[in-house]
Amino acid sequence: MAELHTPRSLIVTFYGAYGRTAEGPVPVSSLIRLLGAAGVDAPSVRSSVSRLKRRGFLLPGRAPDGSAGYLLSDEARELLEDGDRRIYGSRPVDGDTGWVLAVFSVPEQERHKRHLLRSRLARLGFGTAAPGVWIAPARLYDETRHTLDRLQLRPYVELFRGEHLGFAPTVEAVGRWWDLTAIAKQHEEFLDLHEPVLRGWQTGPQPEPQQAYRDYLLALDSWRRLPYADPGLPSALLPADWPGDRSAAVFAELHARLRDTGAAYVRL
């Protein structure tokens, strides 16, 4: 998993897990303490917060104690709430069938929006069925429509629902539409990093708040990209040794064991 646990990524993960429930802006001193527990030094926290402020993700304000702090912008809060459905949602069941297709056309003078469309569809889990034709499981329709609305990209896209009727068997076609090998590798990397952590908590003592917070923050930072890279295809269309269900189970148990205990260390 390239680019894991960068300071900026960990700050976003922190706000998604704990910071958005704070009463008012999170003090900079608290961010330095809490990111320090995950191995990020103070200068990196400050510079990453500044970049997130420039991007409109964080807004400056005064914390309840009067010190300088940062809170989420409305757009960032909406983005995190959208992500909750993927990150913490249940895995799809095999009864989920059908596909949603996205077909778009962007004028040459607005080609920057073409890049934005492609990147957003990829981040939603779409594969490429043909040039300009993107495909995903039908259950992603509502989220796709909401995302395109939020980004004001609706005028360039047509969405369709349908079945795959040939000519290659669907199990073969999905191997062209998605890079399943690359997705499986991401699951395996997550398991390599975090399955040993879970085993340690399963066999060791009850978690201390600081260690629970650290292990949960790192696991969530690793995991939160995976439900977007992996579209959640039915198991009948996946290789027999697919690691996705196992990685989802590992994250779910780490979340159940560590999230609330870690909150005691946050103390915002």
Side-chain angles (χ1 to χ4, degrees), residues 1-108:
M1 287 184 176
E3 298 299 318
L4 273 188
H5 306 326
T6 64
R8 185 165 56 179
S9 176
L10 284 167
I11 291 169
V12 172
T13 300
F14 164 77
Y15 272 93
Y18 299 108
R20 59 179 145 163
T21 62
E23 295 182 4
V26 179
V28 174
S29 59
S30 293
L31 287 172
I32 290 171
R33 174 178 70 88
L34 293 165
L35 274 296
V40 182
D41 60 33
S44 296
V45 173
R46 293 182 186 278
S47 63
S48 296
V49 164
S50 294
R51 286 195 294 272
L52 288 168
K53 183 179 71 170
R54 287 196 297 271
R55 288 177 54 191
F57 188 87
L58 294 177
L59 300 175
R62 288 290 166 185
D65 64 0
S67 64
Y70 289 89
L71 73 163
L72 291 167
S73 67
D74 290 342
E75 182 180 357
R77 192 173 294 276
E78 183 179 5
L79 187 66
L80 292 173
E81 289 170 355
D82 285 350
D84 288 347
R85 289 186 284 273
R86 284 285 188 103
I87 295 166
Y88 303 109
S90 59
R91 299 285 292 175
V93 298
D94 281 350
D96 291 346
T97 58
W99 305 96
V100 59
L101 297 177
V103 181
F104 61 84
S105 177
V106 179
E108 182 60 25

Side-chain angles (χ1 to χ4, degrees), residues 5-6 37 67 69 78 86 90 96 100 103 118 132 138 157 167 177 193 203 214 231 259 266 268:
H5 306 326
T6 64
S67 64
E78 183 179 5
R86 284 285 188 103
S90 59
D96 291 346
V100 59
V103 181
R118 288 172 176 159
V157 187
F167 291 93
W177 300 341
L193 286 170
T203 59
R214 179 186 182 279
R259 196 269 174 197
V266 175
L268 293 176

